[in-house]
């Protein structure tokens, strides 16, 4: 199933797929950004956050504590999950955004002397953009979740 989510007049083509992992089924909401010229990193990440926030009412249970943002440097992908206090049990709806096409755009922008993220890694750019967006995301603020970010191990997260 594919549907479009609007952000700033643009839309990303989200797909929903039932997946299985360790004998547990979940629904993966996935998008691949392959045309970066029309998108800013902030718009892409805002769309991802809005997708995840839109699923919170179905994802939160009594054990939910974190809205976790997981950055994979190797694949330039961002996963967003709701999980418990042990960071080991994920909710049923998970969001994944693959952005390898953004690598070249980020490289070009960082070479310009006018870009606000001058000299920062792609992971740091993602982390700062997520932080900035979450501070004004009213949908997220309605829930008592802690937003965390990591780019390696779930046990080494940073607060957003």
């Amino acid at each position: 199933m594919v549907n479009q989510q609007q952000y700033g007049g643009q839309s990303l083509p989200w797909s929903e797929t039932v997946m299985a992992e360790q004998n547990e089924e979940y629904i993966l909401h996935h998008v691949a950004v392959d045309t970066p010229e029309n998108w800013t990193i902030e718009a892409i990440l805002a769309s991802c956050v809005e997708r995840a926030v839109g699923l919170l009412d179905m994802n939160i249970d009594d054990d939910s504590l974190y809205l976790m943002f997981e950055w994979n440097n190797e694949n330039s992908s961002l996963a967003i999950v709701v999980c418990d206090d042990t960071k080991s049990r994920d909710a049923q709806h998970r969001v994944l955004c693959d952005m390898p096409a953004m690598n070249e755009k980020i490289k070009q922008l960082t070479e310009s002397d006018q870009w606000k993220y001058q000299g920062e890694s792609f992971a740091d750019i993602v982390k700062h953009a997520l932080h900035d967006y979450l501070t004004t995301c009213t949908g997220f603020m309605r829930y008592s979740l802690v937003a965390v970010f990591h780019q390696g191990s779930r046990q080494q997260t940073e607060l957003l």
Side-chain angles (χ1 to χ4, degrees):
M1 167 189 243
V2 175
N3 59 36
Q4 303 282 322
Q5 179 176 358
Q6 291 286 323
Y7 178 77
Q10 301 179 69
S11 60
L12 290 177
W14 291 95
S15 66
E16 297 175 17
T17 308
V18 176
M19 306 289 287
E21 183 177 278
Q22 300 173 356
N23 296 326
E24 183 180 336
E25 281 192 354
Y26 64 93
I27 299 169
L28 181 65
H29 301 259
H30 177 259
V31 68
V33 179
D34 55 6
T35 55
E37 59 273 354
N38 299 327
W39 286 87
T40 65
I41 189 67
E42 292 88 356
I44 293 167
L45 295 173
S47 181
C48 293
V49 171
E50 289 299 326
R51 183 66 170 207
V53 167
L55 299 167
L56 288 178
D57 62 332
M58 294 183 286
N59 269 345
I60 293 179
D61 61 26
D62 291 340
D63 296 330
S64 300
L65 179 60
Y66 296 106
L67 180 60
M68 185 175 301
F69 296 86
E70 301 178 291
W71 179 251
N72 181 318
N73 266 328
E74 190 174 308
N75 300 328
S76 296
S77 64
L78 177 70
I80 307 172
V81 298
V82 173
C83 61
D84 65 350
D85 62 340
T86 66
K87 301 176 186 169
S88 62
R89 191 176 61 81
D90 295 349
Q92 183 173 13
H93 293 270
R94 303 168 191 183
V95 174
L96 178 63
C97 179
D98 290 317
M99 304 181 255
M102 291 300 292
N103 288 332
E104 189 60 33
K105 184 173 183 177
I106 295 294
K107 183 180 178 209
Q108 291 170 356
L109 289 170
T110 57
E111 290 171 356
S112 82
D113 56 354
Q114 309 259 318
W115 202 43
K116 66 180 177 179
Y117 296 119
Q118 193 65 35
E120 294 191 49
S121 69
F122 198 176
D124 286 336
I125 293 166
V126 169
K127 181 173 57 174
H128 294 306
L130 288 170
H131 174 269
D132 289 349
Y133 190 76
L134 284 173
T135 61
T136 60
C137 182
T138 56
F140 171 70
M141 290 181 198
R142 291 189 311 212
Y143 296 92
S144 298
L145 293 173
V146 178
V148 293
F149 178 88
H150 80 82
Q151 56 178 326
S153 166
R154 283 187 170 199
Q155 302 313 313
Q156 296 176 336
T157 58
E158 301 173 53
L159 289 175
L160 286 175

